[in-house]
Amino acid sequence: MKINVRCGLLMLFAVGCACLLNAQQQDDDLKKRINEAVMNVYNEEISRNPSDYESLCGRANQYFVNGDYLRALDDVERAIRLTPANQKNLRFEELMLRAKIYDVRGDQEKRLADLYAANNIDPAHVNCLGLLAEANCNLEHYDDAEQCFQRI
């Protein structure tokens, strides 16, 4: 009887694992389909209007999420060039995204420059200040890092 109970429990465990694996696979497939749909919308908008800076920024963010940092950098740089100066919130987002891309690529100097530019737009943004402090520490600019931490 104990053997049958153990076998039954093992079978239940195996079925449960199979169900979880199936659910995860379905979740991954759903995420992939959603990502493709989002990218299709951005691609269509940009093909209709190559100067659509908002779609370029959105697609750059999606490329970043997908780990395609070169395309993300290309799109966000195009978006920055096209975004009107009065669109400060979007410019802030673009600079923060480009700073993240530079961080992933290991270019701390360019990351720091973008973080300072973003900080000039929104000097009280806590996340930006924290990233500025971190970038300054990475470059061994400890006095500047301390100033950023004090502003948080």
Side-chain angles (χ1 to χ4, degrees), residues 51 53-54 56-58 75-100 113-122 125 128:
S51 298
Y53 53 87
E54 290 174 324
L56 282 165
C57 182
D75 274 4
V76 78
E77 286 181 340
R78 284 177 53 203
I80 288 170
R81 284 194 301 274
L82 294 168
T83 301
N86 66 343
Q87 297 289 322
K88 292 188 184 299
N89 289 339
L90 182 58
R91 178 62 54 91
F92 179 85
E93 289 178 34
E94 292 165 345
L95 290 166
M96 292 294 286
L97 175 58
R98 191 168 67 178
K100 287 194 287 186
D114 276 353
L115 290 171
Y116 273 119
N119 183 250
N120 286 336
I121 294 170
D122 188 351
H125 195 280
C128 184

Side-chain angles (χ1 to χ4, degrees), residues 29-145:
D29 290 343
L30 178 62
K31 286 178 185 177
K32 184 178 178 185
R33 287 196 313 265
I34 290 171
N35 180 62
E36 288 172 359
V38 168
M39 291 304 287
N40 286 337
V41 169
Y42 284 132
N43 290 336
E44 287 175 20
E45 291 299 316
I46 294 166
S47 69
R48 273 189 245 144
N49 179 7
S51 298
D52 184 350
Y53 53 87
E54 290 174 324
S55 291
L56 282 165
C57 182
R59 187 172 73 175
N61 192 59
Q62 196 65 33
Y63 278 138
F64 180 82
V65 168
N66 294 338
D68 192 344
Y69 305 121
L70 286 175
R71 286 185 177 162
L73 184 59
D74 182 55
D75 274 4
V76 78
E77 286 181 340
R78 284 177 53 203
I80 288 170
R81 284 194 301 274
L82 294 168
T83 301
N86 66 343
Q87 297 289 322
K88 292 188 184 299
N89 289 339
L90 182 58
R91 178 62 54 91
F92 179 85
E93 289 178 34
E94 292 165 345
L95 290 166
M96 292 294 286
L97 175 58
R98 191 168 67 178
K100 287 194 287 186
I101 295 167
Y102 286 143
D103 184 35
V104 169
R105 297 186 64 188
D107 192 337
Q108 293 300 309
E109 291 287 346
K110 287 183 179 179
R111 175 188 184 212
L112 187 64
D114 276 353
L115 290 171
Y116 273 119
N119 183 250
N120 286 336
I121 294 170
D122 188 351
H125 195 280
V126 174
N127 185 39
C128 184
L129 286 168
L131 292 173
L132 260 173
E134 177 187 52
N136 275 304
C137 282
N138 290 344
L139 293 168
E140 299 180 1
H141 302 164
Y142 301 117
D143 291 340
D144 294 334

